[in-house]
Amino acid sequence: MTLSPPTDGRLPVAKTFKLYLGGAFPRSESGRVYPVSDTKGRLLAHAAQASRKDVRDAVGAARGAFGGWSGATAYNRGQVLYRVAEMLQARHDQFVDDVLAAEGGTRRKASGLVDAAIDRWVWYAGWTDKIAAVLGSVNPVAGPMVNWSAPEPTGVVGVLAPQASSLLGLVDVVAPVLAAGCTAVVVASQERPLPAVGLGEVLATSDVPGGVVNILTGSTAELAPWLAAHGDVHALDLVGAPEGIAVECERAAAGTVKRVLPRPATEPDPVRVPGISRLRAFTEIKTVWHPVGR
Amino acid sequence: MTTWDYAPAPESAALANLQPSYRPFVDGAFVDGGGQALTTVNPATEEVLAEVGTASAQDVDRAVAAARRAFEKTWGPMPGAERAKYLYRIARIVAERSRELAVLETLDNGKPIRESRDVDVPTASAHLFHHAGWADKLGYAGLGPDPKPVGVVGAVIPWNFPLLMAAWKIAPALACGNTIVLKPAETTPLTALVLAEIAAEAGLPAGVLNVLPGAGDVGAALVGHAGLDKVAFTGSTDVGKEIQRTLAGTGRRLTLELGGKAANIVYDDAAIDQAVEGVVDGIFFNQGHVCCAGSRLLVQESIAEEFSELLLRRIETLRVGDPLDKNTDVGAINSRAQLERIVDLAAAGDAEGAVRWTSACPLPERGLYFPPTVFSGVEQTMRVAREEIFGPVLSVLTFRTPEEAVAKANNTPYGLSAGIWTEKGAKAMWTAQRLRAGVVWTNTFNRFDPASPFGGYRESGFGREGGRAGLEAYLSA
């Protein structure tokens, strides 16, 4: 396998693909890489192959970023998510190339998927300051008390990104985590990781604080169990888990009573407009009581 | 000096209408269970109250099959408005038979009649009444215009609030159109069985509600049963984790209400007398057998000495004794096993260097009792500060700044509840925002209401019970 040949007599500058971790772009501490090819089997690049230690570092970064991100105003988080859409829009054509290389099909279709990914960020940007109104309530308890319930972010969410949809599928599962006020450790699609690395670059330039999203590339089956068992991971999205490890991950998650979105029989169609089930899955309802009196 | 003693004010045990034996309730009838019968004892006297037939694995199969038939044939297809009327009937009968239920609960559980009469039974009835009203309004629950029931629910409940926990599981499950197989706790099966009798009285169709007494093996057979669509569990975190492992990969829905180690934060600007009452209520209500009990008192250092003095003086006035006496504040520990666990954990407090204070109140000569106990000089690493004791044992820690209070309060894998005592509203809200707990009581503690969601963060479990948020567990969007 070889990278693309010279065109017009000029050899293109090949990109080195790294992890996105704590707001920086390190290589895997293991020094490992793995070849990534397009749908026709042509070499696209070598991607970093993350290790258990990288998972730990990513969780540490996500945990460290949680206080700031969950403590930001919902209005502010909405603006930051909208900014992601802006930056993605600005790099539209690059992502069309990347999605086309990763998923094949027509340029027109790839362009539609990138458009949808941009729109998905906009959709979730609008949710940040509406979740509480929709999921919360004022509860008419039988007594001289004021009592209300509102959703709060669950914490660090471990996400195994969909394997098939390299960009839109990824955005579909990462954006709700951020909109809910959680931080994320994401294992990108194993065979199609390159758009995820590109998304990391977008996030890094989008006012998303470092550590809020951490993107690991590599073997999902190798990394997932460490994420599932980690004490500082509070929820797990198994949407892109390989069939063979999904149950093992669910079982490991029980060790710290993690919230788990189980692996669906088939990966969801990311093109459909999502409901708010993911926002609900990664929030906790907190109820506050206070006496009323004089 | 004249001392004014309380005259005994016993409630009549005969009101409980206690039967010599009780049997499992399957498919609309009380049946002979295939399991080994157990005896349930009165923890206040350790006398046997009744013999209770338990379920075998075959009975679990039968109950789940009956629940499935009822779900498909009668209860599932029934219009919500009709389901509501059954639940309203049950709520009303529970209220009408409240004295009987309260006395029976106190005999079986050991809790003071004051609490079973004023809290457990009325709140159970209120839960049934509240959820009855949801049955024909589920389209407004926020899960889409026409949410569907999940199917057959298996529920396992603990011994600390036997009737109330049964109502917490049955009311939302049935209101949402599901059918249910309920396993009450081994040591407190009686009121759940009377509730089944009440359901039968109300004409509830056969199979909609099934009650299977038994120990952990029956619970394990139930929660692992392939015929269930959902499991709802309230109990210890260890068992909850085991259930989550069991259900891994099955796609069955699960909600867990597990343990807690709640912090009760008292700031130096709190209304001290109210805070003392709240702290006492937070830990000694129901003998401390409360998952959301305020078992860690965090008191601001500047008032720690004064507060402790007032607190201990108040605790000394708590009357420990006959649960059927209307003047009793703290009743009996539910079982010998639980008493031993409390004794062990308190001994760990001694061994790790905390300072134990024990109320000098007299204890009955027989029965299972543990005196109100307070550990001071507690460090965060000590077992009495980390582990759920589930008894009348309070650990006292101090803090200097609000930041430190929040950090200490959150320094636990649990996250069920918390209390805040301050007269400054802004500080109360600041603190409430930062506590990682599902229920935050400010200037109050241990309040429950069917309209108010209850449930935990982190290892206190997932899912909510009560209010609109609680319906989600029993509906598919």
Side-chain angles (χ1 to χ4, degrees):
Chain A
M1 292 192 288
T2 51
L3 289 165
S4 51
T7 51
D8 300 336
R10 181 179 177 276
L11 186 67
V13 177
K15 181 169 162 183
T16 302
F17 287 86
K18 302 189 203 172
L19 307 176
Y20 179 49
L21 207 160
F25 296 92
R27 295 184 166 85
S28 168
E29 65 80 34
S30 65
R32 299 180 303 178
V33 294
Y34 70 111
V36 176
S37 355
D38 68 10
T39 50
K40 297 197 174 70
R42 290 175 301 214
L43 180 69
L44 291 171
H46 289 96
Q49 189 182 345
S51 67
R52 174 189 179 182
K53 172 80 159 52
D54 293 320
V55 170
R56 284 213 305 262
D57 291 347
V59 172
R63 169 82 194 238
F66 179 70
W69 183 245
S70 62
T73 63
Y75 176 57
N76 180 219
R77 282 204 302 266
Q79 293 204 317
V80 171
L81 295 197
Y82 183 78
R83 180 76 177 149
V84 177
E86 287 181 355
M87 300 306 281
L88 200 50
Q89 181 73 62
R91 295 169 69 164
H92 183 276
D93 292 352
Q94 175 215 322
F95 276 97
V96 173
D97 289 344
D98 287 352
V99 168
L100 195 57
E103 300 177 26
T106 64
R107 175 163 290 272
R108 185 187 167 82
K109 182 177 176 234
S111 180
L113 292 172
V114 175
D115 290 344
I118 294 164
D119 293 351
R120 194 60 45 85
W121 283 107
V122 175
W123 195 74
Y124 276 113
W127 264 117
T128 57
D129 58 358
K130 295 163 193 73
I131 305 168
V134 172
L135 297 184
S137 54
V138 174
N139 310 307
V141 295
M145 295 274 164
V146 59
N147 175 293
W148 71 91
S149 301
E152 290 192 346
T154 291
V156 176
V157 182
V159 178
L160 307 184
Q163 298 294 333
S165 179
S166 61
L167 179 69
L168 180 55
L170 177 68
V171 169
D172 198 36
V173 293
V174 172
V177 171
L178 267 56
C182 296
T183 59
V185 176
V186 185
V187 180
S189 166
Q190 185 168 337
E191 301 294 325
R192 303 174 178 85
L194 302 189
V197 180
L199 183 68
E201 291 167 0
V202 165
L203 294 170
T205 51
S206 302
D207 307 330
V208 178
V212 169
V213 183
N214 304 276
I215 300 174
L216 305 176
T217 53
S219 160
T220 309
E222 179 193 344
L223 302 175
W226 302 116
L227 208 47
H230 200 295
D232 275 342
V233 175
H234 305 104
L236 206 56
D237 186 345
L238 295 176
V239 62
E243 192 173 4
I245 63 152
V247 176
E248 180 196 337
C249 286
E250 275 196 56
R251 210 170 279 140
T256 53
V257 198
K258 283 184 182 63
R259 289 80 178 114
V260 178
L261 271 186
R263 174 185 188 276
T266 53
E267 286 187 3
D269 171 12
V271 176
R272 96 246 168 274
V273 177
I276 59 170
S277 61
R278 279 195 152 71
L279 294 173
R280 211 187 290 121
F282 303 129
T283 47
E284 306 285 340
I285 297 292
K286 179 190 276 181
T287 299
V288 179
W289 294 67
H290 195 284
V292 173
R294 280 176 292 176
Chain B
M1 188 177 112
T2 314
T3 57
W4 295 80
D5 290 330
Y6 284 82
E11 181 58 283
S12 166
L15 287 169
N17 188 28
L18 190 68
Q19 304 299 308
S21 68
Y22 291 80
R23 294 189 294 168
F25 185 72
V26 178
D27 205 10
F30 288 99
V31 300
D32 290 324
Q36 183 129 39
L38 58 82
T39 53
T40 187
V41 302
N42 179 351
T45 59
E46 291 197 274
E47 285 166 358
V48 171
L49 285 172
E51 188 178 86
V52 180
T54 72
S56 63
Q58 289 74 27
D59 295 326
V60 174
D61 288 342
R62 264 195 289 278
V64 172
R68 174 66 58 193
R69 271 196 306 280
F71 175 67
E72 285 169 2
K73 300 263 161 57
T74 55
W75 197 248
M78 189 183 291
E82 295 300 302
R83 289 202 308 267
K85 288 193 272 186
Y86 284 105
L87 286 170
Y88 280 125
R89 279 185 176 190
I90 296 170
R92 280 290 198 246
I93 300 175
V94 167
E96 285 158 7
R97 292 174 65 174
S98 61
R99 288 184 79 191
E100 172 195 351
L101 285 164
V103 175
L104 186 61
E105 192 77 312
T106 283
L107 287 175
D108 203 15
N109 170 278
K111 66 175 67 204
I113 186 70
R114 199 165 57 80
E115 292 176 1
S116 52
R117 180 193 64 198
D118 298 348
V119 179
D120 294 61
V121 179
T123 312
S125 175
H127 262 267
L128 289 156
F129 193 92
H130 173 83
H131 285 92
W134 270 120
D136 55 356
K137 302 169 191 67
L138 298 172
Y140 296 92
L143 296 164
D146 189 22
K148 300 293 179 205
V150 176
V152 177
V153 175
V156 174
I157 56 171
W159 48 260
N160 59 341
F161 293 92
L163 177 71
L164 183 57
M165 290 300 108
W168 277 31
K169 298 289 184 270
I170 292 168
L174 265 48
C176 293
N178 306 279
T179 57
I180 189 166
V181 181
L182 176 83
K183 191 202 85 74
E186 182 183 4
T187 61
T188 57
L190 299 185
T191 46
L193 291 166
V194 174
L195 187 59
E197 181 193 309
I198 288 171
E201 254 180 34
L204 189 73
V208 174
L209 166 65
N210 306 270
V211 181
L212 301 179
D217 56 329
V218 179
L222 178 60
V223 300
H225 201 287
L228 299 180
D229 299 297
K230 180 196 158 53
V231 171
F233 174 75
T234 297
S236 76
T237 291
D238 285 347
V239 175
K241 289 178 180 178
E242 199 48 52
I243 292 172
Q244 194 179 356
R245 271 181 215 112
T246 302
L247 264 62
T250 63
R252 270 169 249 155
R253 300 262 296 262
L254 174 65
T255 44
L256 298 171
E257 294 286 354
L258 309 178
K261 192 73 190 175
N264 215 344
I265 300 170
V266 180
Y267 286 114
D268 59 6
D269 55 10
I272 296 289
D273 292 338
Q274 282 177 36
V276 167
E277 282 305 306
V279 169
V280 167
D281 189 46
I283 182 62
F284 298 114
F285 174 62
N286 205 41
Q287 296 74 249
H289 301 327
V290 186
C291 49
C292 51
S295 53
R296 287 183 300 152
L297 168 62
L298 296 180
V299 59
Q300 197 149 18
E301 203 175 86
S302 49
I303 60 160
E305 209 168 310
E306 177 198 359
F307 192 83
S308 292
E309 203 172 297
L310 290 168
L311 180 66
L312 299 188
R313 197 190 301 166
R314 173 67 180 89
I315 295 172
E316 200 104 56
T317 66
L318 291 175
R319 295 168 54 83
V320 182
D322 179 7
L324 273 181
D325 191 319
K326 292 167 191 163
N327 291 322
T328 291
D329 298 306
V330 179
I333 301 302
N334 180 248
S335 66
R336 186 157 285 281
Q338 183 58 25
L339 181 58
E340 282 164 7
R341 181 174 156 75
I342 297 168
V343 168
D344 279 356
L345 273 162
D350 298 332
E352 291 185 323
V355 178
R356 187 201 294 228
W357 174 91
T358 303
S359 170
C361 66
L363 295 186
E365 282 172 14
R366 58 175 194 159
L368 307 171
Y369 291 93
F370 194 89
T373 297
V374 178
F375 280 104
S376 56
V378 173
E379 301 291 336
Q380 294 184 82
T381 51
M382 292 179 181
R383 288 181 66 196
V384 289
R386 288 187 290 115
E387 295 180 31
E388 187 177 42
I389 298 177
F390 227 63
V393 181
L394 178 66
S395 293
V396 184
L397 298 90
T398 59
F399 68 89
R400 288 185 180 176
T401 63
E403 287 78 8
E404 187 185 346
V406 168
K408 281 185 168 167
N410 287 339
N411 184 18
T412 164
Y414 295 115
L416 189 50
S417 64
I420 302 164
W421 299 86
T422 169
E423 289 293 277
K424 267 194 87 179
K427 187 153 68 179
M429 294 303 111
W430 180 92
T431 310
Q433 281 181 337
R434 281 157 184 78
L435 292 175
R436 303 278 291 158
V439 182
V440 178
W441 287 292
T442 60
N443 293 333
T444 184
F445 208 91
N446 269 346
R447 301 276 171 174
F448 306 94
D449 193 284
S452 177
F454 179 90
Y457 283 49
R458 304 188 67 197
E459 294 193 20
S460 288
F462 41 72
R464 294 293 180 269
E465 296 184 285
R468 187 161 63 89
L471 297 174
E472 190 191 324
Y474 294 96
L475 290 170
S476 294

